[in-house]
Amino acid sequence: MAAKAVVLHAAMLAATFVGAPAVAQTNDPNLSQKQIDCLSRTTAAGADCEDGAKNGGGQSGAGNAVGGAVFLPSLIVDLFPNPPARPTPAPTQPAPPKSPTSSAAPAPPPSGPITPPTGLNLAAPPRAVSGEFVPDEVLVTVAGDAGAVQRIATTLGLQVRSQRQSRLLGTTLVRYGIPDGRPVGVVLAQLAADGRTQRREPNHIYSLQQAAGIVNYAFERIALDSKQASGENVRIAVIDTGIDDTNPALKGVIAGQFDAMPNVPIKKRDHGTSVDGLIAGVGALEGIAPGAKIYHARAFEGGKSSMDVILSALDWAAEQDVRIINMSFVGPKNDLLGTACRNARALGMVLVAAAGNNGPKAPYGYPAAFDGVIAVTATDAKDGLMPQANRGAYVFLSAPGVEMVAPSGTGSDVVTGTSFAAAIVSGAIANLIHAAPDRSADEIEKALAATAKDLGPKGRDNDFGYGLLDIKAAGAAKE
């Protein structure tokens, strides 16, 4: 999927989202840290900021243009990470026109028993051959005609099984058989002593790379056996973008849907589809908690939403009697959102949220920074921290979230971001609840903190929180 940015014009946003006034967290890379801090303040009109900071330093009034909006944590980073720099390939010459392959008639194999030659001088010790190969054949290029090909076979006790003039190799390619059981490495060394041969290789075996299924590296990193993973019948609410519920990875996964912004057309389905799939996907893109039931609330379009829309989605989720709420979005502190999260936790729900993708100096991201919400940051396949991740004392747990294969609105994609790390944690918690349905939200949170694999500085830190999720240890933790 080609990388591209998702942009929603301020005029559309103002016409679409109506809610309690709030200043949105911005993802504008041109703003200074002071300007970002001013945009995140909840004081009326940023009273103690300079005019230039209020207006994004002259960047088209960024702070005022997005009033009342809450951002997914840098959706551009989540779904369209900057691709690694790649060297520009050198221009290639046009391929020559195709022509029929010319073939010399293979010489008949020698009649009668073949006696292996003795006393041959090996030009090199027997070669160590790696990879799978046909055990009784070698491939050789020969300078000469069919007579030369046969003379080599007779000298070394080989069979000519096929020969042809290779256009791309520019010479005769011969497939010799080894009828007496000599190791391929020995025969290659014997051929190297014959000046009539040019190149000598094993007849290696290759296979098509069609995978029956893709096991996400997250399973290994969080100590969860993919064959035993299950969130069967655990009810999980996801508040996100619209989804592609026709994606095979979501077949039978979505138990209910709610559109918190029905008057806004759905244009993007990638983010929500990826989050749902990582949690409970089926088939080739199996999620962390197969069998879990997803209650999906669409509350974002163009990467943005408003507080009233999100609260509407949260209310709907609470009515579905879910055990887990996944919130892969970030915005400013809002007391209404804080109250809603606190009350959801009091009802026994486990709240999981993305820590944010706006960099080490970004302000705290909410709802992740509220008490009682498990704030998740993203690590890669080697447990390294995603460079764009937010930092702070509110970070609770680390989980895989860098370059993972996930379903999307266009089939599948490679995704990166704390959004997806949060989905991994939500799926892992579903496994805990499936194994022990009576386990409370408080008990789950304590077990996750006590058993996390410490990363970075010793103990809880602002980068990794308590460390990398270890679901096997958390499942075995005693209360």
Side-chain angles (χ1 to χ4, degrees):
M1 179 177 180
K4 55 183 179 180
V6 178
V7 178
L8 186 62
H9 290 293
M12 177 181 175
L13 177 65
T16 301
F17 304 121
V18 180
V23 180
Q25 178 172 333
T26 179
N27 298 323
D28 188 346
N30 297 313
L31 299 184
S32 68
Q33 183 59 43
K34 182 174 181 180
Q35 292 162 350
I36 291 174
D37 291 342
C38 287
L39 290 174
S40 303
R41 292 178 184 171
T42 57
T43 56
D48 49 355
C49 291
E50 298 176 0
D51 290 341
K54 293 177 189 176
N55 293 321
Q59 300 298 319
S60 301
N64 295 331
V66 292
V70 178
F71 283 50
L72 284 176
S74 190
L75 185 62
I76 293 174
V77 176
D78 278 354
L79 292 180
F80 313 114
N82 293 326
R86 296 176 182 172
T88 303
T92 57
Q93 296 297 325
K98 295 182 179 179
S99 63
T101 303
S102 59
S103 300
S111 59
I114 296 177
T115 303
T118 58
L120 293 174
N121 179 29
L122 299 183
R127 172 176 162 187
V129 182
S130 62
E132 292 185 66
F133 55 90
V134 179
D136 65 342
E137 291 183 353
V138 291
L139 297 179
V140 183
T141 55
V142 175
D145 56 13
V149 170
Q150 185 57 54
R151 285 190 293 273
I152 293 171
T154 302
T155 302
L156 296 179
L158 303 174
Q159 292 178 340
V160 180
R161 293 184 177 172
S162 69
Q163 60 179 302
R164 66 183 180 85
Q165 184 68 23
S166 170
R167 178 167 188 169
L168 295 177
L169 296 178
T171 187
T172 300
L173 177 65
V174 185
R175 179 167 59 97
Y176 284 115
I178 309 171
D180 53 51
R182 277 172 290 165
V184 166
V186 170
V187 173
L188 290 173
Q190 293 170 340
L191 285 162
D194 192 311
R196 293 168 293 186
T197 68
Q198 297 170 315
R199 298 174 183 270
R200 301 147 295 272
E201 292 292 340
N203 192 8
H204 277 120
I205 297 171
Y206 294 78
S207 60
L208 290 173
Q209 296 302 289
Q210 180 174 331
I214 300 171
V215 178
N216 201 305
Y217 75 83
F219 283 97
E220 177 187 2
R221 301 315 308 149
I222 68 172
L224 177 62
D225 186 341
S226 62
K227 296 179 181 178
Q228 298 179 359
S230 176
E232 188 174 1
N233 295 325
V234 177
R235 300 161 74 95
I236 305 172
V238 175
I239 300 174
D240 216 289
T241 68
I243 58 171
D244 176 12
D245 52 11
T246 67
N247 191 303
L250 299 186
K251 184 176 181 180
V253 172
I254 308 300
Q257 293 192 60
F258 172 70
D259 193 343
M261 44 198 311
N263 297 323
V264 180
I266 298 177
K267 295 182 179 179
K268 294 292 183 181
R269 304 174 187 267
D270 298 317
H271 195 276
T273 303
S274 295
V275 168
D276 286 1
L278 288 171
I279 293 174
V282 297
L285 295 175
E286 186 174 68
I288 295 295
K293 300 300 181 184
I294 300 291
Y295 290 81
H296 190 96
R298 181 242 179 171
F300 286 83
E301 189 57 54
K304 299 176 185 178
S305 186
S306 62
M307 191 72 273
D308 62 312
V309 171
I310 291 173
L311 291 172
S312 176
L314 280 169
D315 284 335
W316 176 81
E319 292 168 358
Q320 309 313 305
D321 192 29
V322 298
R323 293 293 307 274
I324 303 165
I325 299 180
N326 187 93
M327 299 178 286
S328 289
F329 54 86
V330 163
K333 185 177 182 180
N334 183 291
D335 288 341
L336 293 174
L337 180 59
T339 300
C341 290
R342 183 169 60 251
N343 290 339
R345 179 62 181 266
L347 291 172
M349 301 175 203
V350 183
L351 307 179
V352 180
N357 303 342
N358 296 308
K361 296 182 179 180
Y364 282 17
Y366 292 88
F370 286 125
D371 290 340
V373 178
I374 296 174
V376 184
T377 193
T379 51
D380 59 25
K382 296 182 179 180
D383 301 339
L385 187 67
M386 185 184 78
Q388 306 98 316
N390 286 33
R391 315 290 205 273
Y394 71 102
V395 176
F396 186 88
L397 201 63
S398 303
V402 177
E403 295 184 351
M404 296 190 298
V405 179
S408 74
T410 55
S412 63
D413 203 353
V414 176
V415 298
T416 292
T418 58
S419 282
F420 309 113
I424 296 299
V425 171
S426 290
I429 293 171
N431 278 263
L432 294 179
I433 294 174
H434 171 71
D438 294 333
R439 212 168 192 182
S440 71
D442 286 345
E443 291 169 343
I444 290 171
E445 184 178 292
K446 290 176 183 177
L448 294 175
T451 60
K453 176 185 175 183
D454 196 15
L455 301 175
K458 186 175 181 179
R460 185 176 185 178
D461 61 76
N462 291 348
D463 291 351
F464 299 96
Y466 285 103
L468 182 67
L469 169 66
D470 186 332
I471 202 63
K472 182 177 180 179
K478 301 296 183 180
E479 300 302 332

